[in-house]
Amino acid sequence: MSMAPSVPALDTFASLAFLCISALYLKARWKSSRLPLPPGPKGYPIIGNLLDMPHRFEWEVYHRWCKDFDTDILHLNAGGTHIIVLDSYRAAQEVLERKSTINSGRPRLPMVNELMGLDFNFGFMDYGICVRRSRRLMHHAFHPSAAKQYRPQEINSARRFLRRLLDDQDDIMGELRLLSGEAVLSSTYGIEIASKHDKYITIAEDGTEPVLTAIIPGTFLVDFIPALKYVPEWFPGAEFKRKAREWRQATFRMRDVPYEDAKREIERGTPLVSFCSMSLGKIDERLDRDAQEEDIKSVAATLYGAYTTAGADSVMAAVATCILALLNHPDVFKKAQAQIDSVVKPGRLPDFDDEASLPFVTAIIKESMRWREVTPLGLPHRASAESEYNGYRIPKGSIIMANSWAMLHDETVYPEPFAFKPERFLTNKGQLNKSVKDPGHAIWGFGRRICPGRYMAASSVWITVASFISAFDIARVDESGGLDHEYGSGIIRIPLPFKCSIRPRSKAIEDFIRSTTRE
């Protein structure tokens, strides 16, 4: 008859198991800590690479350094802060996807979060329960099926954009900004706007435009030396404190004003379908209502802020890049028009039911977003624990950036990467080629921080570009808009203003555009 082990024997076994596990853990830690840091430019004592940090077209500089060091992972030391740049999809997938549990944080961002007051924005929060709660709210309103309910707003925004171009072609970028703002404000708050001078547009621009610069690592020294946030405004060199105070006031106005206006419309009983109307309608009365409303307001403000920082500006930049590409490739433009004419009835405009029948239009959009990447570096991640990639050590606390621009210009994936070739995404029979890597793999972010509004953004770009191609003929009118047309350098890569001749293709299509109203 077998005997059960005695209690002392169990204690001894548990102790031995604990010692073995501890030894293995310490051995792994010791081995990891002895790994070299990724290669990178040699810095100076104490300040490291602070003087080397690029402030324009950073993605190109980082890629050049990776080529120089024959690596797809780069290390920079910014005054004691480790910065890791991932220059290939393989590196991004390994570090940000497979190790997302430890590499989904955000840098502390003292300037943006603590001084400018954007700590409510879950896109800038360190990963944790607040981010998960916010993303859950976003998912309920913007998952692939839910995002389709905003398509009527997107169609109406696209058609209003066309109507405005019939009468005013002097400010294409301004009209695109209004197009983007309409879609975001309508889907988020159920608020409609009439012009690019609308108060909600102004509030969004004032509240978030500085983030385009402030979010880039290295722009403000306080992000590397957080103690500087305690320096008084009058201290020499502390101009950033005055800027932060002014920007903070604008940030709170952006968070509060449209939300309160939306609540009033919802209480009147006739709101448009929106994130706020759906979320407020699902509040659980058994839980703290104020806390739930605070979450809804914060997520709505994050979406509203995306109007300038990441969402609608991305839409604006993507559509503008499509127009610039077509302006410089008239053969591509004519081919796309021919396909639309074979599918859409004369005197009409495409809608989402036509998308599957217009693969060349979809290929143009894919190639435009690959050719001139909208978010070349995306938003930075932060490592919450030490890890390893390809024999190199990624220290805990590192700021990690994925060089999407390099991934989308990888000649082993996209031959002739600097050429505009929509046909690369098509088969010989003219259908979408699923064997070619979709540029979305690098456009929308990685891991647990992938853009939750990507489905709506993608559909907004598609309907706008398809409608534009169907409605107009375009031509160059001055030196702007060429293949070398300049883009701004920031977290969002936006074309500088340009002009071109835009004419309706027929009287019938002009009449149809002018007749379109909310459907």
Side-chain angles (χ1 to χ4, degrees):
M1 185 175 188
S2 62
M3 298 289 291
S6 64
V7 172
L10 285 173
D11 287 344
T12 301
F13 176 78
S15 298
L16 287 172
F18 175 77
L19 288 172
C20 289
I21 293 171
S22 298
L24 289 171
Y25 173 75
L26 291 172
K27 181 180 179 181
R29 284 290 303 273
W30 177 81
K31 181 179 178 181
S32 175
S33 65
R34 290 176 62 85
L35 290 174
L37 290 167
K42 185 178 180 180
Y44 297 91
I46 302 177
I47 64 171
N49 301 112
L50 268 180
L51 301 181
D52 301 320
M53 297 296 292
H55 297 289
R56 283 180 58 80
F57 305 108
E58 298 89 341
W59 47 92
E60 295 185 20
V61 178
Y62 294 148
H63 183 60
R64 184 172 68 247
W65 283 342
C66 285
K67 289 288 187 182
D68 291 343
F69 290 103
D70 191 24
T71 183
D72 64 348
I73 182 170
L74 186 75
H75 173 262
L76 299 164
N77 172 10
T81 298
H82 297 285
I83 295 179
I84 302 293
V85 180
L86 307 174
D87 205 59
S88 72
Y89 177 66
R90 173 175 171 264
Q93 186 179 46
E94 181 67 27
V95 175
L96 300 179
E97 298 275 355
R98 294 180 181 170
K99 298 176 181 175
S100 63
T101 54
I102 60 172
N103 292 321
S104 294
R106 290 287 190 228
R108 181 176 168 183
L109 301 175
M111 183 64 177
V112 170
N113 285 338
E114 298 166 35
L115 294 179
M116 291 170 58
L118 276 139
D119 51 351
F120 65 80
N121 187 320
F122 71 85
F124 301 148
M125 290 179 188
D126 204 5
Y127 198 81
I129 188 170
C130 289
V131 171
R132 290 193 293 270
R133 198 166 61 232
S134 296
R135 289 184 71 90
R136 190 158 50 245
L137 274 172
M138 274 283 293
H139 177 75
H140 288 159
F142 294 99
H143 63 75
S145 297
K148 291 181 180 179
Q149 66 190 317
Y150 304 112
R151 286 184 168 182
Q153 287 103 309
E154 292 169 343
I155 290 174
N156 284 317
S157 293
R159 292 181 177 179
R160 282 196 289 266
F161 169 64
L162 301 184
R163 287 204 300 273
R164 293 193 296 269
L165 288 182
L166 287 174
D167 301 316
D168 183 4
Q169 303 169 15
D170 291 334
D171 186 14
I172 297 173
M173 294 304 295
E175 297 299 345
L176 282 171
R177 184 179 292 275
L178 177 56
L179 159 83
S180 303
E182 286 177 330
V184 170
L185 283 160
S186 177
S187 61
T188 303
Y189 296 106
I191 290 173
E192 293 188 290
I193 55 177
S195 80
K196 51 193 160 185
H197 304 297
D198 190 279
K199 76 169 185 177
Y200 297 108
I201 298 291
T202 302
I203 289 171
E205 291 175 348
D206 291 347
T208 60
E209 192 166 338
V211 180
L212 293 173
T213 299
I215 194 66
I216 299 173
T219 302
F220 290 100
L221 192 60
V222 68
D223 286 332
F224 298 125
I225 309 175
L228 290 177
K229 75 174 190 174
Y230 299 109
V231 171
E233 284 187 28
W234 53 262
F235 196 81
E239 184 183 0
F240 73 94
K241 288 290 296 288
R242 179 187 58 77
K243 290 181 177 179
R245 174 173 49 79
E246 295 172 355
W247 293 341
R248 187 181 185 89
Q249 294 170 355
T251 292
F252 290 152
R253 180 171 166 77
M254 178 195 73
R255 183 192 64 183
D256 298 336
V257 171
Y259 179 76
E260 295 302 327
D261 289 352
K263 274 191 67 177
R264 279 193 291 272
E265 288 300 315
I266 292 168
E267 289 167 359
R268 288 173 184 163
T270 56
L272 294 174
V273 174
S274 69
F275 166 78
C276 282
S277 66
M278 287 190 297
S279 300
L280 287 169
K282 293 179 180 178
I283 278 183
D284 190 339
E285 297 295 346
R286 296 170 298 176
L287 304 176
D288 186 334
R289 183 180 182 89
D290 290 342
Q292 292 178 81
E293 278 210 45
E294 194 65 27
D295 282 346
I296 294 169
K297 180 164 68 171
S298 294
V299 172
T302 299
L303 290 167
Y304 184 39
Y307 163 69
T308 299
T309 56
D313 257 15
S314 297
V315 171
M316 176 182 76
V319 175
T321 292
C322 282
I323 295 173
L324 285 170
L326 295 171
L327 195 60
N328 287 279
H329 297 84
D331 55 328
V332 174
F333 191 42
K334 292 299 181 185
K335 185 176 178 180
Q337 287 181 326
Q339 185 173 85
I340 290 174
D341 291 346
S342 71
V343 173
V344 181
K345 293 180 180 179
R348 306 289 294 180
L349 291 170
D351 60 32
F352 286 106
D353 291 336
D354 301 312
E355 186 172 0
S357 302
L358 299 174
F360 192 62
V361 173
T362 301
I364 287 171
I365 294 169
K366 289 179 183 289
E367 177 67 345
S368 296
M369 297 181 76
R370 183 209 65 80
W371 181 58
R372 294 284 190 268
E373 222 299 55
V374 171
T375 52
L377 290 174
L379 290 175
H381 291 229
R382 179 181 178 275
S384 61
E386 186 169 293
S387 63
E388 174 268 342
Y389 168 71
N390 204 25
Y392 294 115
R393 177 167 60 96
I394 299 176
K396 178 181 179 180
S398 295
I399 294 175
I400 305 173
M401 294 186 288
N403 192 344
S404 298
W405 177 87
M407 299 173 206
L408 295 172
H409 290 80
D410 183 345
E411 60 187 9
T412 65
V413 179
Y414 304 107
E416 300 181 64
F418 295 97
F420 181 78
K421 300 177 66 175
E423 60 271 17
R424 75 172 80 242
F425 293 104
L426 299 172
T427 65
N428 292 334
K429 295 183 178 180
Q431 298 303 308
L432 290 174
N433 190 344
K434 295 182 179 180
S435 68
V436 178
K437 190 178 286 292
D438 190 291
H441 79 277
I443 288 173
W444 305 111
F446 298 92
R448 299 182 180 187
R449 304 314 286 251
I450 193 168
C451 174
R454 61 194 181 279
Y455 302 110
M456 182 178 168
S459 61
S460 183
V461 172
W462 190 89
I463 193 63
T464 303
V465 172
S467 300
F468 182 88
I469 294 172
S470 177
F472 296 125
D473 286 320
I474 57 175
R476 296 269 303 276
V477 295
D478 57 23
E479 295 302 315
S480 71
L483 281 174
D484 297 323
H485 185 78
E486 292 188 18
Y487 281 62
S489 179
I491 192 171
I492 305 293
R493 195 176 178 215
I494 302 174
L496 298 183
F498 65 94
K499 293 184 178 181
C500 65
S501 169
I502 301 175
R503 296 182 179 179
R505 297 179 64 201
S506 68
K507 182 68 166 58
I509 197 68
E510 180 180 357
D511 291 342
F512 179 77
I513 293 170
R514 293 192 184 280
S515 71
T516 55
T517 57
R518 172 163 294 281
E519 298 177 0

